[in-house]
Amino acid sequence: MATGSYPDPMRVILQDLDGEVVERGVADGVWTAEPAGEVLDLSAFACLPGLADGHSHLGGDDMATLGPGDPVEVARRAFHAVERGVFLVFDKGWSDTAVITLRDVPPVDRPHVRAAGRIISAEAGYYPDFAVEVDEAGLADAVRRTAAEAAGWVKIVGDWPRRGIGPVANFGKSALTAAVEAAHAVGARVAVHTMAPEVASVAVRAGVDSIEHGLFLTDDDIRVLGARSGMWVPTILRMEEVVAQFGPERTGARIVAEGLDRVRSLLPGAQAAGVRVLAGTDLAVPTGDVAAEAGRLVEYGLTPSQAVEAVSLGAWSAGGLGRPFAVGAEADLVAFRRDPRHDIAELARPVALIRAGRVSRRL
């Protein structure tokens, strides 16, 4: 891993996706208006501020090992993501707050982190002994406590299958609305896991900030979510993996497959409606491989330009990181030989990386 220290000042010449050539200095890990030092000329390449994973779980490696998070392993996964050009992570929770320890890791060694900390669910409404379990009356208080120890987000499991019953809502609209109000009062945002019919609509009407999976969103939900610039993270690779794991004959697989068909019908118009569609790995692949999810978004109906928005520029805005390459912002850049809006596969082939001023890959 890197040393965590900032390198010497340098001068970077870059070309953004609008074709504008910009000259910036880099000092103490941020972009400056006064270039000086070694020159890195990237003006012949297509540059983004970084890739983003909109639904990560840095607390673990896969869904089969849902144990406590290890800060050392969390830092290792975060560094691996940076080395693949993923400079922003929306971590949607774990059984503990191990991911929050990334605050103590130097910026050059980790992505920007927006993290939920401990996941909240109803009793028997998620994996056993994993989430903070509360009833409807206790949901808002649990959100306040969790938000206080997280990094900007709270994650609520909105529905979960019960054996012999199928998918069941964990919380009603009133409880979710109170939870959203409690989170917003302390400056946190709320993400809701939902894979079941009707629950996505309830969550949207409750005012949540991000819908995770959202297999059964409706056209009207998209309109309402888009009106407030809400986020939707379909996690297509994860949902396809769920279908494969269940097997086509299982009821659960048929429900998820039906939901994926719904995703295909909604995705093309979602961004135009104002929804911030984000690319999320959800442990289907490592966070560093989020480019694969961007490719699936294209196969499900986004244009390559829209998919680049989902996996980079739109996520940058959603994460509150401001205008790419702005003076005073952390010096983040990922360069590609060809514009990924013309070939989405380019996202998996960065040729130069700068994270918080550290150049970790050169031409």
Side-chain angles (χ1 to χ4, degrees):
M1 292 177 64
T3 63
S5 60
Y6 292 121
D8 293 334
M10 64 178 172
R11 172 187 173 197
V12 178
I13 306 171
L14 64 97
Q15 179 181 191
D16 65 21
L17 289 195
D18 292 327
E20 181 181 359
V21 176
V22 179
E23 188 171 332
R24 288 281 183 262
V26 177
D28 296 327
V30 302
W31 297 115
T32 75
E34 300 176 355
E38 178 187 1
V39 177
L40 180 60
D41 188 349
L42 300 173
S43 59
F45 302 91
C47 298
L48 291 169
L51 303 184
D53 187 347
H55 186 127
S56 177
H57 293 289
L58 292 173
D61 283 318
D62 54 51
M63 298 303 292
T65 53
L66 295 176
D70 177 348
V72 173
E73 287 300 300
V74 167
R76 178 188 63 79
R77 295 180 193 110
F79 185 76
H80 174 264
V82 166
E83 291 294 281
R84 299 299 301 276
V86 180
F87 295 168
L88 171 61
V89 166
F90 295 80
D91 192 283
K92 295 299 171 57
W94 201 245
S95 62
D96 53 30
T97 59
V99 172
I100 310 303
T101 62
L102 285 174
R103 289 170 168 167
D104 301 324
V105 175
V108 295
D109 294 336
R110 56 148 174 90
H112 300 274
V113 178
R114 308 290 184 265
R118 295 187 294 168
I119 293 172
I120 302 171
S121 80
E123 184 177 355
Y126 199 52
Y127 295 106
D129 303 319
F130 192 78
V132 177
E133 296 186 355
V134 297
D135 59 16
E136 289 202 333
L139 180 60
D141 282 341
V143 164
R144 292 186 190 94
R145 293 193 302 272
T146 303
E149 62 188 14
W153 280 85
V154 174
K155 167 73 171 296
I156 298 172
V157 180
D159 55 64
W160 196 249
R162 269 67 161 182
R163 185 177 298 275
I165 300 175
V168 175
N170 282 338
F171 305 104
K173 181 175 179 294
S174 295
L176 284 176
T177 300
V180 170
E181 291 173 351
H184 289 178
V186 295
R189 293 193 278 186
V190 177
V192 167
H193 160 111
T194 171
M195 294 168 58
E198 301 180 3
V199 176
S201 297
V202 171
V204 169
R205 272 34 180 213
V208 304
D209 301 281
S210 184
I211 296 291
E212 313 302 308
H213 320 304
L215 299 181
F216 290 94
L217 286 165
T218 67
D219 294 284
D220 198 46
D221 295 336
I222 292 295
R223 179 186 60 79
V224 174
L225 193 62
R228 62 171 182 264
S229 300
M231 300 171 219
W232 176 25
V233 197
T235 65
I236 294 169
L237 285 170
R238 163 54 61 196
M239 295 299 97
E240 291 179 334
E241 189 169 287
V242 168
V243 173
Q245 288 173 340
F246 280 172
E249 73 287 350
R250 295 280 296 277
T251 299
R254 291 197 296 271
I255 292 173
V256 174
E258 179 185 345
L260 282 170
D261 287 341
R262 186 66 187 156
V263 171
R264 285 185 187 274
S265 72
L266 291 177
L267 265 181
Q271 282 188 352
V275 176
R276 287 171 162 169
V277 177
L278 302 184
T281 59
D282 192 17
L283 294 176
V285 294
T287 287
D289 295 334
V290 71
E293 178 70 8
R296 297 305 288 146
L297 288 172
V298 171
E299 293 185 28
Y300 272 65
L302 292 191
T303 66
S305 291
Q306 289 174 325
V308 169
E309 185 79 4
V311 78
S312 183
L313 299 172
W316 227 250
S317 176
L321 294 177
R323 186 167 57 87
F325 315 123
V327 171
E330 286 189 7
D332 297 330
L333 178 149
V334 180
F336 305 90
R337 292 192 183 280
R338 290 176 291 277
D339 189 334
R341 296 174 302 179
H342 301 152
D343 179 6
I344 201 66
E346 277 296 300
L347 292 173
R349 299 189 287 264
V351 294
L353 304 175
I354 303 174
R355 169 68 183 117
R358 180 177 69 90
V359 180
S360 61
R361 187 178 303 178
R362 293 178 180 267
L363 301 172

